[in-house]
Amino acid sequence: MVADNRFISNLKENFKCGDIVIRLLYLNIGVFVLVSLVSIILMLFKIPAVAWVNYLELPADFGRFIFQPWSIITYMFMHAGLLHILFNMLWLYWFGRLFLQFFSSRHLRGLYVFGGIVGGIFYMLAYNIFPYFETAVPYSYLLGASASVLAIVLATAEREPNYPVQFMFIGTVRLKYVAVFMIVLDLLFMTSGNAGGHIAHLGGALAGWWFASGLRKGYDVTAWINAIVDFFSGNRTGRSRKPKMKVYYSDKQKDYEFNARKKERSDEIDRILDKLRQSGYASLTDEEKKSLFDASKK
């Protein structure tokens, strides 16, 4: 009993102290284990598990979606089997870590949800617009984190297209070619047995490109998602706050020295960001990486 309590405490502590990638991994795996256990218990009592699971998956039928609108969120944490969640979590871990080299944790959190939402909308629209899918609409459901993961991959590729990625048996491949390959693959399999999944991937890819290109222009399409998550989680750190204390300087010399130091720090960060854009994250020195990290926390 003590060992069980210690195990649960360790899981809670790892989740609490982990970064956003670890937390998303825990959420996905936790949901998968919980849903699997409940389904097994229902099967033991000869109760069909499909009915209640469908309420967490995204239906292609708009009529059903009206009665379960939460599924546009819950479906991106659901998985059909062990291999399904294994591959999705591996991609989430690899590319989530890479994403955090160029964007913030809040961006990843928001993009995971935004990519899933856009992917889900693409899926429902395609199944209701194209006659090819008309017979499948009543019984088709979407589940999985793939659209969210594709959004993360495409956002990173748009930000650093020439970033080298190592693949076993293949070698080094530039990130832009990985993104292009995945998009082409999904286009080719839009009429396959997993058509809905591939269509959702394309929606997630669009969301990733939309996010990265918009952020480059100063617009964050995930801001509203993070604001909602912060509101319901009781976290207000993402919002700007008025300082509780104002500092006044007694003479103009102190004002001048303060502004001079502030400008010097700002110029240094601008120089590091220019270097990052031109040569990539790997070209930064340890001191430059630390300066950039410290600036991101302010």
Side-chain angles (χ1 to χ4, degrees):
M1 187 68 179
V2 175
D4 291 341
N5 291 336
R6 187 178 305 163
F7 175 73
I8 295 174
S9 297
N10 288 337
L11 288 179
K12 291 180 178 178
E13 187 65 23
N14 291 336
F15 179 84
K16 183 179 179 180
C17 299
D19 60 20
I20 186 60
V21 175
I22 297 300
R23 292 186 178 189
L24 286 173
L25 289 173
Y26 269 51
L27 283 174
N28 277 277
I29 295 172
V31 170
F32 176 76
V33 172
L34 180 62
V35 170
S36 297
L37 289 176
V38 173
S39 297
I40 290 172
I41 293 173
L42 292 176
M43 288 177 64
L44 290 174
F45 288 96
K46 293 186 176 182
I47 301 174
V50 177
W52 81 273
V53 170
N54 284 161
Y55 278 101
L56 300 177
E57 300 170 349
L58 183 63
D61 189 340
F62 281 111
R64 293 189 179 185
F65 174 71
I66 292 175
F67 294 98
Q68 55 181 91
W70 59 82
S71 61
I72 193 70
I73 300 297
T74 57
Y75 95 89
M76 63 185 78
F77 295 96
M78 300 284 290
H79 289 86
L82 189 59
L83 289 179
H84 189 201
I85 190 172
L86 175 62
F87 284 110
N88 274 346
M89 294 304 98
L90 286 174
W91 278 82
L92 175 59
Y93 180 79
W94 292 332
F95 284 96
R97 289 279 181 234
L98 184 57
F99 180 95
L100 290 178
Q101 292 187 26
F102 310 108
F103 303 100
S104 71
S105 296
R106 286 175 61 80
H107 287 146
L108 194 148
R109 182 184 69 176
L111 184 58
Y112 182 95
V113 177
F114 184 65
I117 291 175
V118 176
I121 292 173
F122 257 55
Y123 158 74
M124 288 192 291
L125 288 177
Y127 266 60
N128 287 275
I129 290 175
F130 298 116
Y132 179 82
F133 301 111
E134 61 184 359
T135 58
V137 171
Y139 58 85
S140 292
Y141 290 85
L142 182 67
L143 72 163
S146 302
S148 299
V149 173
L150 260 292
I152 294 169
V153 174
L154 261 291
T156 311
E158 202 282 337
R159 174 64 176 78
E160 289 293 326
N162 293 314
Y163 190 93
V165 181
Q166 293 286 340
F167 286 97
M168 188 179 297
F169 307 122
I170 298 177
T172 303
V173 182
R174 294 182 187 275
L175 189 53
K176 61 184 177 182
Y177 297 127
V178 176
V180 169
F181 174 77
M182 297 176 76
I183 291 174
V184 170
L185 198 65
D186 287 321
L187 286 170
L188 293 176
F189 285 91
M190 282 182 63
T191 56
S192 66
N194 186 31
H198 291 290
I199 292 170
H201 294 175
L202 294 174
L206 175 63
W209 172 85
W210 187 358
F211 161 77
S213 60
L215 200 63
R216 193 184 298 274
K217 300 173 184 176
Y219 175 69
D220 182 5
V221 297
T222 67
W224 64 277
I225 293 175
N226 282 315
I228 292 174
V229 175
D230 286 340
F231 177 80
F232 284 103
S233 64
N235 177 19
R236 302 294 186 270
T237 57
R239 298 181 179 181
S240 59
R241 294 181 175 179
K242 294 183 179 179
K244 295 181 179 179
M245 180 184 298
K246 292 184 178 180
V247 179
Y248 295 94
Y249 295 90
S250 59
D251 52 46
K252 294 182 178 180
Q253 178 64 27
K254 289 185 178 181
D255 283 341
Y256 174 81
E257 291 174 355
F258 173 79
N259 291 330
R261 287 195 300 270
K262 184 176 180 181
K263 185 178 186 304
E264 184 179 349
R265 288 194 298 268
S266 178
D267 290 342
E268 175 62 9
I269 294 301
D270 288 341
R271 183 191 67 78
I272 295 173
L273 290 174
D274 287 338
K275 183 177 179 181
L276 178 63
R277 283 191 288 267
Q278 294 173 6
S279 306
Y281 186 82
S283 67
L284 301 183
T285 65
D286 292 339
E287 188 65 25
E288 289 171 335
K289 292 177 182 177
K290 184 178 184 302
S291 297
L292 196 62
F293 177 76
D294 290 342
S296 69
K297 295 191 296 181
K298 294 181 180 180

